[in-house]
Amino acid sequence: MKIRAITAFAELHIDRTETTLARAGAFLAGATHAFQQAGVVVQSRRVATQSFARLDPRHGPVGIPTLAARLRETAVAYGIDYLSLGPVGAGDDPDYVDALPDIFQAAEGVFASVEIANVEQGIDLALLRHVARSIQAISRVSPDGLSNLYFAAIANVEPGSPFFPAAYHSGGPTTFALAIEAADLAIQAFENAESPDEARQRLTDLINGAAQQMRPIAERLSAEYSFSFSGLDFSLAPYPGESSSLAGAMERLGTTAGSAGMVGAASLVMNAIEAATFPRCGFSGLMLPVLEDSVLGRRAAEGVLHINDLLLYSAICGTGLDCIPLPGDVSEAALAGILLDVAALSLRLDKPLTARLMPLPGKVTGDVVAFPAFEYFVPSRVMAAPAGLASGALGSDGIFNIMPRP
């Protein structure tokens, strides 16, 4: 078990961004030291801000890439590894969506998102196509298509989730939360378990033990630095390698990713997380990023795992579609259709979901995917994109309101 990220949530004011980032950096350094002294590895230190559409209204969308580069430089100077500039809101100027490729071109290591659905405003069908075009444009920022790693479409996601790219701040005093990388706990829990109840209880006990180790440290840090502690996101994030694959842990229960029985395994994992006692925030759900999980990457390469399988697991309580390798020429209609399904699931089930879709330039379905210089990704193959939205009501420019299940 590791801490994937200690994330501080800070409101930036354009005339004192350095002061705010310096304070956040000092806290993150102190927090990293405290956890590591207790034997808990910390992988990264992060800051999430309010929506970048509200950072500097004086210069509007055209000024955001330059601002993002300056904020990134300042953040790095204060020991902050990554910065999330939050989402373009569903009602914001759409020109901010168009600014995304330039942001990622100007400031490597900066994350951002677009809100594609919420309960109050529903789903803007025209915005889905706009976001689809931005995903296409972002894929061309770097030759390998890796820039979409820094972007997600988010639906029904509240502020305060410590996992990027979905992280953002709602404003007000600075807070912090912990994003937990704990797929190895599931492997430990499920190895040689003789019944579903035994496997579930083992995982709950391991999560409780990990939380009991981290919570007192977080509370001491909160008092020392006057940063409110908002909780832990126990989404059992994986890391490349068989010993840290959540899908690999689930397969130890007797199923295979992409095959029958995986919904049962997903339900068991969720029940185990829900039964644990810890201050929770963010998703605390099923995290299945294809290019970050060795077993998922392998099953996708074998052709047994498909996008609709991952959507099904998201309905159980996953975090959505994450790190999905797609053909470089995937159509706007196909991307918009995938986004629509994620948004619809989110509203119908009244739960947060995200979509991090990665068209890879020059690649077609079945091509080998490998990023040897990027330690966080596993080898796989390009997944097939579904057919796109055809003409009809769902291809209109209207608002699609979906009522949650009673």
Side-chain angles (χ1 to χ4, degrees):
M1 188 277 300
K2 300 175 183 177
I3 296 175
R4 168 73 61 85
I6 306 173
T7 301
F9 298 87
E11 183 174 6
L12 294 185
H13 298 275
I14 203 64
D15 57 344
R16 55 181 189 273
T17 56
E18 183 163 1
T19 301
T20 302
L21 290 173
R23 180 171 178 250
F27 163 76
L28 291 169
T32 298
H33 178 73
F35 282 110
Q36 291 184 336
Q37 284 289 99
V40 181
V41 174
V42 176
Q43 289 190 332
S44 64
R45 294 152 296 278
R46 307 182 181 188
V47 169
T49 74
Q50 75 272 33
S51 166
F52 67 88
R54 292 165 184 79
L55 279 175
D56 188 7
R58 296 171 301 177
H59 297 99
V62 296
I64 289 296
T66 300
L67 175 61
R70 178 164 62 83
L71 293 175
R72 168 64 173 164
E73 183 178 355
T74 304
V76 169
Y78 289 109
I80 298 164
D81 298 311
Y82 300 107
L83 189 65
S84 173
L85 300 181
V88 180
D92 288 336
D93 184 342
D95 286 350
Y96 283 104
V97 179
D98 293 328
L100 287 163
D102 292 333
I103 290 173
F104 299 131
Q105 181 76 59
E108 184 178 352
V110 167
F111 290 74
S113 57
V114 174
E115 182 186 46
I116 58 171
N118 61 49
V119 173
E120 292 77 24
Q121 295 171 290
I123 303 169
D124 184 335
L125 295 171
L127 177 61
L128 295 185
R129 295 194 298 277
H130 195 166
V131 173
R133 291 193 295 274
S134 284
I135 291 171
Q136 291 174 322
I138 293 166
S139 75
R140 297 187 289 269
V141 168
S142 61
D144 57 9
L146 198 58
S147 293
N148 268 305
L149 172 69
Y150 301 100
F151 172 74
I154 65 174
N156 236 358
V157 175
E158 296 291 331
S161 170
F163 278 103
F164 281 28
Y168 69 100
H169 188 40
S170 58
T174 303
T175 66
F176 76 99
L178 306 178
I180 309 303
E181 181 186 298
D184 57 324
L185 297 186
I187 289 177
Q188 183 180 341
F190 299 162
E191 193 72 57
N192 299 319
E194 294 184 358
S195 71
D197 285 345
E198 180 186 356
R200 180 175 54 208
Q201 189 60 53
R202 281 184 183 179
L203 182 53
T204 297
D205 291 345
L206 288 169
I207 292 172
N208 280 334
Q212 288 166 11
Q213 179 185 10
M214 291 182 287
R215 182 175 182 175
I217 300 170
E219 290 173 345
R220 288 198 302 271
L221 289 164
S222 176
E224 180 180 352
Y225 289 90
S226 299
F227 282 22
S228 296
F229 173 51
S230 57
L232 301 94
D233 188 337
F234 254 107
S235 290
L236 305 187
Y239 183 82
E242 299 300 307
S243 64
S244 300
S245 164
L246 181 55
M250 295 163 74
E251 290 194 354
R252 281 167 168 77
L253 296 170
T255 183
T256 301
S259 301
M262 194 68 171
V263 170
S267 300
L268 187 153
V269 172
M270 283 312 307
N271 282 173
I273 296 172
E274 290 160 355
T277 303
F278 61 91
R280 63 190 66 219
C281 66
F283 297 96
S284 289
L286 200 66
M287 186 167 284
L288 296 171
V290 171
L291 290 179
E292 292 181 5
D293 187 298
S294 301
V295 172
L296 285 181
R298 186 158 63 246
R299 300 297 177 236
E302 293 167 351
V304 299
L305 179 71
H306 304 94
I307 289 175
N308 280 346
D309 297 317
L310 294 162
L311 280 168
L312 177 60
Y313 309 151
S314 295
I316 301 301
C317 204
T319 59
L321 298 178
D322 199 1
C323 296
I324 308 295
L326 293 170
D329 63 353
V330 61
S331 70
E332 174 190 316
L335 291 170
I338 296 170
L339 296 176
L340 174 58
D341 283 345
V342 171
L345 265 183
S346 172
L347 294 185
R348 180 61 181 161
L349 301 178
D350 193 19
K351 66 187 303 295
L353 288 176
T354 69
R356 186 156 48 163
L357 309 177
M358 302 185 66
L360 302 175
K363 298 283 189 181
V364 299
T365 300
D367 277 357
V368 172
V369 176
F371 295 90
F374 189 65
E375 65 176 300
Y376 299 102
F377 273 5
V378 301
S380 188
R381 291 184 183 273
V382 176
M383 300 178 74
L389 287 173
S391 58
L394 293 178
S396 70
D397 288 341
I399 301 297
F400 184 14
N401 291 304
I402 296 177
M403 299 299 106
R405 188 178 65 176

